[in-house]
């Protein structure tokens, strides 16, 4: 059986440094998989390679059985895999609605159709009342929501979330968490990179742990919390894992 | 200007402008023709520079292609400049694609892109200055018209040129409006605003930028054809020199980048100012006085309305709850300097 996403021996070198080293894992439809690891473990590099914004030095990424490594990011998006960015990346001089429309244009040719779709998405992320506000005037929480909204508008089957909780207050994190959980309950598969353990432990069906570019553990939240290799990697940061 | 009936505005504005020859003397009518010509060139520049955020400083190159091409074909074979607009529109489009490919393949933007466009235009000065068939550094002169000839775009009075360029500008404004309101326009702006995010949302950023430079180049060449039929003369420095390329962008910036009307408004204000200064006592004494005036106006614009005149109007409307049909203009100098996102090729966390 083919998995939704299969990552095989994925490797990326920057000069002499291997940021991601022969990483392999898979995801199935409807799953939420967490990708964690200490700073510099290679999580975002891995994201960049899966989403097409960076070419892998070695290895392949398969999405619904098709090899997507080597494709450009916009081609990957067309195939139903979209990412968000760790640091929000809005189009500052465009309104919230127009921001989301850019995503919607991936599926809709006409402006009217894209606008309708974007309106729907704004409703879904509870941003309808901000539709005409310029992105540069939105708060961080709103921008984080918008970031998800833009990605949703491309109608992805698999959504890659890069640290959606970073920089938010605990209350805001709950807010984003509820949104993400809702998306999953509606059938969307999610690959989540996150530093905030509360988010990852709560959300993920399975967790892949990276350290220095290699996979050191994989399993449910409970399993990895007991894994000595993981505890080792987070030594000094065990407060996070507990 | 916006909304369901927005497309009527260009017709109304051009309709009113069409009445100008009834009121203007020959001198002011000539000035109006020049305003419209610069407006046309600035609107063409705005597609790439305003909407796409790629500030070309070398549009004189494409203008020269149109101007020289049309002049040559008039002198050798009497080809109609209207036909030349099509031919050299295509030629300039191909050249634009070439310049664009070189730049965008390597992700050049901002000052680096501008420098490459300057380099190409500057190179054209020396190529054409040594090109015998194009009159080398003497340039090409067209015979002065003895009678009105619409097919050859030659008129004995200013009126003919006025209506010709007004019609061209009307078509271009309508085209820009149409372009800005559809998927391509939105995508082009998204590339300007945040290329990485656009790419992740399914925008083929390379292709989008390529189309923008091809369109901008092709339309600029059409303006170049008009230029040579108006002045009946073209030489390397007059089109490939840096002055032209800078002027074009000045009108767009002062008027308002990535707005349909901004470049038109900019040209309508700045060109007459330049003429007035040039003919004033000060202008007689100091040759470059009008350039100095332009400099002052540019600084004042930057300081008090970085989005240009029309951009300011957009902002005011937005503040009062108006809704725009297309995304608004950018500030010429965004508050945040554009820096490559650190994670891209460095060590990503």
């Amino acid at each position: 059986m083919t998995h939704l996403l299969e990552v095989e021996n994925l490797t990326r070198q920057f000069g002499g440094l291997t940021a991601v080293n022969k990483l392999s894992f898979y995801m199935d439809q409807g799953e939420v998989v967490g990708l964690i690891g200490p700073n510099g473990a290679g999580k975002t590099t891995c994201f960049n390679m899966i989403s097409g914004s960076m070419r892998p030095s070695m290895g392949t990424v398969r999405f619904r059985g098709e090899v997507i490594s080597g494709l450009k990011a916009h081609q990957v998006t067309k195939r139903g895999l979209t990412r968000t960015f760790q640091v929000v990346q809005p189009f500052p001089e465009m309104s919230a609605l127009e921001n989301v429309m850019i995503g919607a244009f991936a599926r809709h040719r006409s402006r009217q159709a894209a606008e309708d779709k974007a309106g729907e998405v704004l409703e879904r992320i509870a941003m309808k009342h901000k539709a005409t506000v310029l992105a540069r005037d939105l708060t961080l929480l709103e921008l984080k929501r918008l970031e998800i909204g833009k990605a949703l508008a491309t109608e992805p089957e698999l959504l890659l979330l890069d640290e959606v909780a970073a920089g938010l207050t605990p209350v805001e994190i709950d807010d984003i968490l509820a949104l993400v959980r809702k998306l999953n309950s509606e059938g969307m598969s999610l690959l989540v990179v996150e530093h905030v353990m509360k988010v990852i432990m709560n959300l993920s069906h399975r967790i892949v742990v990276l350290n220095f570019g290699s996979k050191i553990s994989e399993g449910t939240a409970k399993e990895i919390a007991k894994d000595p290799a993981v505890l080792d990697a987070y030594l000094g940061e065990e407060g996070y894992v507990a | 200007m916006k909304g369901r009936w927005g497309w009527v505005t260009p017709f109304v504005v051009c309709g009113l402008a069409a009445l100008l020859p009834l009121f203007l003397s020959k001198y002011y009518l000539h000035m109006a023709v020049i305003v419209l010509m610069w407006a046309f060139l600035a609107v063409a520049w705005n597609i790439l520079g305003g909407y796409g955020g790629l500030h070309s400083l070398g549009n004189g190159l494409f203008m020269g292609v149109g101007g020289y091409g049309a002049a040559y074909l008039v002198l050798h074979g009497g080809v109609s400049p209207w036909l030349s607009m099509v031919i050299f529109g295509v030629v300039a489009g191909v050249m634009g694609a070439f310049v664009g490919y070189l730049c965008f393949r390597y992700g050049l933007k901002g000052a680096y892109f501008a420098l490459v466009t300057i380099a190409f235009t500057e190179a054209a000065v020396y190529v054409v200055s040594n090109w015998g068939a194009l009159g080398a550094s003497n340039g090409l002169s067209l015979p002065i018209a003895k009678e009105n000839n619409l097919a050859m775009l030659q008129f004995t009075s200013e009126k003919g040129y006025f209506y010709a360029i007004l019609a061209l500008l009307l078509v271009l404004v309508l085209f820009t409006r149409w372009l800005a309101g559809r998927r391509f326009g939105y995508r082009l702006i998204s590339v300007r605003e945040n290329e990485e995010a656009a790419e992740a949302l399914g925008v083929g950023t390379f292709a989008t930028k390529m189309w923008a430079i091809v369109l901008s180049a092709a339309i600029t060449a059409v303006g170049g054809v008009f230029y040579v039929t108006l002045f009946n003369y073209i030489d390397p420095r007059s089109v490939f020199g840096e002055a032209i390329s800078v002027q074009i962008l000045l009108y767009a910036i002062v008027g308002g980048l990535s707005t349909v009307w901004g470049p038109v408004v900019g040209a309508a204000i700045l060109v007459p100012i330049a003429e007035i200064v040039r003919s004033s006592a000060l202008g007689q004494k100091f040759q470059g006085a009008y350039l100095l005036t332009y400099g002052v106006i540019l600084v004042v614009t930057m300081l008090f309305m970085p989005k240009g005149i029309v951009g300011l109007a957009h902002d005011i409307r937005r503040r009062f709850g108006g809704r725009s049909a297309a995304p608004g203009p950018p500030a010429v100098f965004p508050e945040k300097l554009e820096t490559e996102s650190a994670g891209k090729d460095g060590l990503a966390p």
Side-chain angles (χ1 to χ4, degrees):
Chain A
M1 171 201 156
T2 52
H3 299 289
L4 179 67
L5 180 77
E6 287 173 275
V7 174
E8 220 180 292
N9 284 325
L10 202 61
T11 303
R12 172 74 199 205
Q13 284 145 342
F14 296 107
L17 184 110
T18 306
V20 174
N21 190 13
K22 294 189 183 153
L23 175 68
S24 301
F25 70 94
Y26 70 91
M27 279 185 70
D28 282 323
Q29 189 81 45
E31 253 192 318
V32 179
V33 172
L35 194 58
I36 66 170
N39 277 328
K43 304 181 295 280
T44 297
T45 306
C46 170
F47 247 49
N48 287 342
M49 286 190 283
I50 294 173
S51 66
S53 43
M54 190 185 280
R55 271 171 181 276
S57 307
M58 250 169 30
T60 52
V61 179
R62 271 195 208 88
F63 182 60
R64 291 192 295 185
E66 183 194 2
V67 176
I68 58 164
S69 38
L71 293 181
K72 293 249 178 70
H74 73 268
Q75 296 166 318
V76 173
T77 301
K78 275 262 179 203
R79 283 164 175 74
L81 191 163
T82 312
R83 70 172 300 180
T84 65
F85 289 88
Q86 182 178 348
V87 179
V88 289
Q89 303 276 3
F91 306 116
E93 295 289 342
M94 291 173 132
S95 70
L97 183 76
E98 288 159 354
N99 266 268
V100 178
M101 278 172 74
I102 297 299
F105 276 126
R107 301 278 173 232
H108 303 278
R109 227 196 140 74
S110 94
R111 187 179 106 197
Q112 195 53 52
E115 204 173 319
D116 293 346
K117 174 74 195 176
E120 264 170 51
V121 170
L122 283 182
E123 198 123 30
R124 224 166 136 193
I125 59 169
M127 288 275 293
K128 190 95 187 171
H129 58 297
K130 297 280 182 181
T132 58
V133 179
L134 291 186
R136 58 158 195 208
D137 296 331
L138 295 173
T139 65
L140 182 62
L141 176 63
E142 287 164 351
L143 286 174
K144 291 265 179 186
R145 283 178 168 277
L146 187 65
E147 191 73 13
I148 295 175
K150 287 190 304 183
L152 283 183
T154 68
E155 300 173 24
E157 234 173 282
L158 171 59
L159 184 57
L160 276 58
L161 296 174
D162 198 351
E163 303 214 12
V164 274
L168 297 181
T169 67
V171 177
E172 290 172 336
I173 289 175
D174 287 340
D175 188 86
I176 280 279
L177 213 60
L179 173 62
V180 172
R181 203 173 281 123
K182 192 174 102 191
L183 294 178
N184 179 241
S185 70
E186 288 164 9
M188 190 173 295
S189 319
L190 298 156
L191 179 61
V192 186
V193 162
E194 194 55 74
H195 260 311
V196 182
M197 284 303 146
K198 173 175 143 193
V199 174
I200 214 94
M201 294 296 177
N202 255 306
L203 215 57
S204 320
H205 302 127
R206 273 187 309 126
I207 294 173
V208 174
V209 189
L210 290 183
N211 195 22
F212 293 116
S214 305
K215 184 164 86 177
I216 56 167
S217 184
E218 185 176 354
T220 63
K222 270 198 186 131
E223 286 164 8
I224 67 141
K226 282 187 230 144
D227 189 330
V230 176
L231 293 175
D232 225 25
Y234 275 95
L235 202 66
E237 296 184 58
E238 71 261 56
Y240 272 148
V241 182
Chain B
M1 199 191 300
K2 298 286 177 186
R4 189 168 293 273
W5 294 98
W7 59 272
V8 176
T9 317
F11 288 101
V12 174
V13 172
C14 290
L16 289 174
L19 301 175
L20 282 177
L22 298 176
F23 309 108
L24 296 182
S25 67
K26 188 169 187 289
Y27 172 74
Y28 286 106
L29 194 57
H30 182 68
M31 198 189 285
V33 171
I34 292 174
V35 164
L36 293 177
M37 184 191 77
W38 284 116
F40 184 91
L41 290 166
V43 173
W45 180 90
N46 193 36
I47 293 175
L48 180 66
Y51 293 97
L54 291 155
H55 296 195
S56 159
L57 278 169
N59 268 26
L61 173 68
F62 309 123
M63 202 180 148
V65 168
Y68 265 105
Y72 184 84
L73 288 187
V74 166
L75 294 171
H76 305 264
V79 177
S80 162
W82 296 105
L83 183 59
S84 287
M85 286 179 185
V86 178
I87 298 170
F88 294 102
V90 172
V91 172
V94 171
M95 289 177 70
F98 177 68
V99 176
Y101 181 79
L102 289 180
C103 292
F104 305 147
R105 241 186 86 78
Y106 298 106
L108 291 192
K109 47 188 166 186
Y112 303 99
F113 172 74
L115 281 174
V116 172
T117 59
I118 291 178
F120 271 98
T121 319
E122 203 52 32
V125 173
Y126 297 99
V127 171
V128 176
S129 295
N130 292 291
W131 193 334
L134 296 181
S137 47
N138 291 326
L140 294 175
S141 299
L142 297 186
I144 306 291
K146 293 190 186 69
E147 58 192 28
N148 287 326
N149 186 344
L150 181 62
M152 294 305 286
L153 209 51
Q154 287 295 317
F155 305 99
T156 50
S157 75
E158 294 296 328
K159 230 185 266 180
Y161 291 107
F162 180 83
Y163 287 117
I165 188 68
L166 187 64
L168 284 173
L169 183 63
L170 174 64
V171 171
L172 180 56
V173 164
L174 289 170
F175 175 72
T176 311
R177 261 198 72 88
W178 174 78
L179 203 65
R182 68 203 312 273
R183 181 166 78 170
F184 175 78
Y186 279 80
R187 286 186 157 179
L188 187 54
I189 294 178
S190 77
V191 170
R192 173 192 82 199
E193 292 286 295
N194 192 329
E195 199 166 335
E196 211 184 344
E199 181 77 30
L201 294 179
V203 178
T205 52
F206 179 77
T208 304
K209 289 188 285 185
M210 284 296 280
W211 276 113
I213 196 170
V214 166
L215 285 174
S216 184
I219 298 166
T220 302
V222 171
V225 172
F226 180 82
Y227 172 92
V228 81
T229 59
L230 177 64
F231 293 111
N232 286 319
Y233 174 70
I234 190 167
D235 74 349
R237 275 279 158 207
S238 67
V239 281
F240 299 126
E242 62 285 347
I244 288 252
S245 297
V246 173
Q247 252 173 295
I248 293 174
L249 118 168
L250 201 64
Y251 302 137
I253 288 177
V254 172
L257 291 178
S258 81
T259 59
V260 174
W261 290 103
V264 180
V265 171
I269 292 174
L270 291 186
V271 173
I273 288 180
E275 281 305 315
I276 291 164
V277 172
R278 231 185 296 205
S279 58
S280 71
L282 184 74
Q284 304 289 330
K285 226 175 216 165
F286 304 109
Q287 272 227 323
Y290 80 101
L291 289 174
L292 202 66
T293 319
Y294 274 179
V296 172
I297 291 172
L298 187 61
V299 170
V300 170
T301 307
M302 298 284 125
L303 283 178
F304 298 106
M305 39 183 187
K307 291 178 175 183
I309 297 163
V310 176
L312 187 70
H314 274 269
D315 270 6
I316 290 169
R317 194 185 11 240
R318 217 183 254 273
R319 178 158 304 169
F320 290 106
R323 208 179 139 283
S324 293
V332 181
F333 295 122
E335 289 144 59
K336 271 185 293 181
L337 278 179
E338 264 182 60
T339 45
E340 278 295 308
S341 65
K344 200 173 179 192
D345 259 311
L347 291 181

